[in-house]
Amino acid sequence: GRRAAGVVPMPGAAAAMQPSYTHISPLSRQGNMSVVDKAHPEGFDKPCVQKVVMTSGMPAAIAFAEPRLLDQLKHDNLVPVLETQPDPHNPSAIVFTMPFFRQGSVRFALEQGHRFSIHRAVDISCDLLRALGHLHSNGLVHRDVKADNGLLTDSLDGGCGTEPGRAARLEADGKAAGGGGSRRCRPRGALGPGARMARRAGIHCA
């Protein structure tokens, strides 16, 4: 399986100390910048999500922005990062490992035909709002809120936010770098007054 880089081992112990990932299967591709796989890391001995992000020579502060942010902003309703390291097979990429949510995202559940009761929809929404509130309380706005980025608990009655890699610092006037802010949200895909948002619409700057 894929072998991820680790701490420099003692001579003769490299093979034993490098963490290994087996049973790798693709989950999704997020544009041209990252690939998400399901994998079984030997160290955790359970299915996890392995995200490979192309960094293309970015400084470490930018390349590791998302996993570092998730680590700093630990919260029950934000997906944690279990480990992060350079991809040993590609010097222009990093790999970070997160828990595997077997129910997938809100969007995936809906596309599979699942229908949520009003009670469960409110519970999931409140969990995701708690995650956004935690970001806001730390002076950040998510900027990529959509059904793909709301993951579901095994029992389908709770939610966990992910993908804060586009988060921006909230300024004193309530706006974020790049436009928008906590006081105004810009839906993607709206086509004029009274129009419905596109199927994959998200809310920027939430």
Side-chain angles (χ1 to χ4, degrees):
R2 183 197 300 271
R3 289 196 172 274
V7 177
V8 177
M10 296 293 290
M17 292 190 67
Q18 283 186 331
S20 62
Y21 296 81
T22 59
H23 301 93
I24 297 176
S25 56
L27 288 176
S28 66
R29 175 176 291 276
Q30 299 176 339
N32 296 320
M33 295 300 295
S34 64
V35 177
V36 180
D37 295 321
K38 178 184 176 184
H40 196 103
E42 183 179 358
F44 297 109
D45 194 27
K46 62 181 180 181
C48 293
V49 168
Q50 182 188 69
K51 184 174 181 179
V52 180
V53 181
M54 301 304 299
T55 58
S56 303
M58 297 177 186
I62 298 176
F64 290 96
E66 183 174 351
R68 286 179 179 179
L69 183 62
L70 285 170
D71 183 64
Q72 293 168 10
L73 300 174
K74 290 184 176 71
H75 188 271
D76 289 344
N77 298 114
L78 280 174
V79 176
V81 172
L82 304 177
E83 67 175 6
T84 309
Q85 45 206 324
D87 188 334
H89 302 288
N90 187 343
S92 297
I94 62 170
V95 179
F96 57 99
T97 306
M98 300 172 289
F100 174 65
F101 286 71
R102 65 183 182 88
Q103 299 290 5
S105 66
V106 173
R107 180 185 173 213
F108 177 79
L110 292 173
E111 289 182 342
Q112 297 303 306
H114 185 80
R115 293 296 177 262
F116 297 95
S117 67
I118 293 177
H119 178 79
R120 287 204 167 183
V122 170
D123 284 345
I124 292 167
S125 298
C126 286
D127 282 349
L128 298 177
L129 287 171
R130 275 189 282 270
L132 292 175
H134 183 61
L135 290 176
H136 289 181
S137 68
N138 283 274
L140 296 167
V141 286
H142 190 287
R143 298 207 309 170
D144 198 18
V145 179
K146 56 187 177 184
D148 306 69
N149 292 339
L151 301 181
L152 297 166
T153 58
D154 287 354
S155 56
L156 289 169
D157 61 357
C160 209
T162 188
E163 297 293 334
R166 296 175 62 181
R169 182 65 57 184
L170 187 62
E171 299 170 354
D173 61 359
K175 297 180 181 180
S182 60
R183 298 184 191 140
R184 62 188 178 94
C185 299
R186 299 185 302 181
R188 279 189 304 192
L191 301 178
R196 298 183 64 181
M197 287 188 294
R199 184 178 180 184
R200 296 195 59 180
I203 300 176
H204 278 198
C205 302

